[in-house]
Amino acid sequence: MPTITPSIPTPDGQADAFAAFPDDGGPHPGVLLYPDAFGPRRVLWDMARELAEHGYYVLVPNIFYRHRPAPVFDLPEHITAENRPALFGQIMPLIQEHTTENALRDAEAYLGFLTAQPEVRSGPVAAIGYCMGAVLAMRTATAHPDRIAAVAGFHPGALVTDAPDSPHRQIPALTAKVHLGLAEGDMTPEAITEISQAFDAAGVSYTCEIYPGTVHGYTMADTDAFNPAGSQRHWERLLALLDNGREW
């Protein structure tokens, strides 16, 4: 499985990244994969490789490149509940600095790089994300409706807030098909209703599903939140959504 570690020019510097793609020359459907709050690291790169084995060119940007290259944080080999408070003491300031404006500038650069690769077929791509990455995927899709054909978010961060730029308020611009795979407790029933009503009003094709028995982070094999059944369900739903880009 070929992989590269490109440096992507952005208005704020150079974003390091990881890309995996099939070795048959392509071209292949492109996927922009946003990591969770722990940032890009071995488990995300392994997931990119796994998705690439199904016929996709997968780009994983370091969303925290303004601070340091990936892996951004000094993470233990396995992240436990005991590790999390100290880790989030490091992580939260970087998340707070990653404003919507920064995210949208970065998305433009990531999409420009991804769609320029000779192994990526012309036309729209998919944006997927985990935890805060699901928010970034949704923001990317609503800001670039002509360039994103599919969106998936797993154990998503805050998609429904009171903020004027809450992701759910941008859904009227969305044209992509969507799947949200929620852990139990990720979103309140009221928030699920609100975002579902927004999808319905926009005429968006979507599914929003609570994965039973899961907690936030269930796809991440390097954490104690990992749930094998939830992870498998995530792969099944993701591959069904992408469907090798046949509907893009």
Side-chain angles (χ1 to χ4, degrees):
M1 181 65 59
T3 63
I4 60 172
T5 53
S7 181
I8 302 173
T10 80
D12 298 324
Q14 297 286 325
D16 54 298
F18 176 91
F21 47 94
D23 60 2
D24 59 6
H28 303 281
V31 177
L32 175 57
L33 190 162
Y34 285 110
D36 63 356
F38 294 119
R41 59 200 188 279
R42 186 176 64 185
V43 69
L44 268 300
W45 300 326
D46 288 346
M47 292 167 74
R49 289 188 184 95
E50 184 166 351
L51 185 53
E53 288 176 357
H54 291 274
Y56 300 93
Y57 186 110
V58 187
L59 177 67
V60 185
N62 175 13
I63 58 177
F64 298 128
Y65 71 89
R66 292 175 179 84
H67 300 275
R68 60 190 71 92
V72 179
F73 306 105
D74 184 16
L75 300 173
E77 184 174 341
H78 190 80
I79 301 167
T80 67
E82 290 74 23
N83 302 141
R84 286 175 180 266
L87 288 173
F88 273 94
Q90 305 174 47
I91 293 168
M92 285 309 298
L94 275 63
I95 291 176
Q96 291 163 357
E97 290 181 29
H98 196 64
T99 62
T100 299
E101 293 75 14
N102 285 347
L104 293 179
R105 285 201 301 274
D106 291 346
E108 180 76 38
Y110 302 153
L111 289 173
F113 175 87
L114 178 60
T115 56
Q117 301 313 296
E119 299 89 357
V120 176
R121 75 178 193 193
S122 60
V125 300
I128 70 175
Y130 301 83
C131 180
M132 68 173 289
V135 176
L136 298 176
M138 185 69 75
R139 291 201 187 282
T140 299
T142 54
H144 299 279
D146 58 331
R147 302 176 75 179
I148 304 295
V151 181
F154 299 97
H155 43 89
L159 294 173
V160 178
T161 74
D162 293 332
D165 67 347
S166 173
H168 83 288
R169 300 186 195 280
Q170 316 307 315
I171 286 175
L174 190 65
T175 59
K177 55 182 181 177
V178 179
H179 175 71
L180 298 179
L182 311 180
E184 294 182 354
D186 269 343
M187 296 175 68
T188 66
E190 293 77 14
I192 293 173
T193 296
E194 190 164 357
I195 199 168
S196 297
Q197 289 174 343
F199 285 137
D200 289 335
V204 171
S205 174
Y206 76 98
T207 53
C208 183
E209 180 181 0
I210 298 173
Y211 291 13
T214 60
V215 297
H216 187 77
Y218 62 82
T219 63
M220 296 297 150
D222 61 349
T223 77
D224 60 3
F226 181 67
N227 181 291
S231 176
Q232 180 60 34
R233 184 184 294 245
H234 133 269
W235 283 116
E236 291 169 356
R237 299 296 191 267
L238 176 58
L239 292 171
L241 177 79
L242 299 179
D243 194 25
N244 205 30
R246 276 185 277 270
E247 296 181 13
W248 301 6

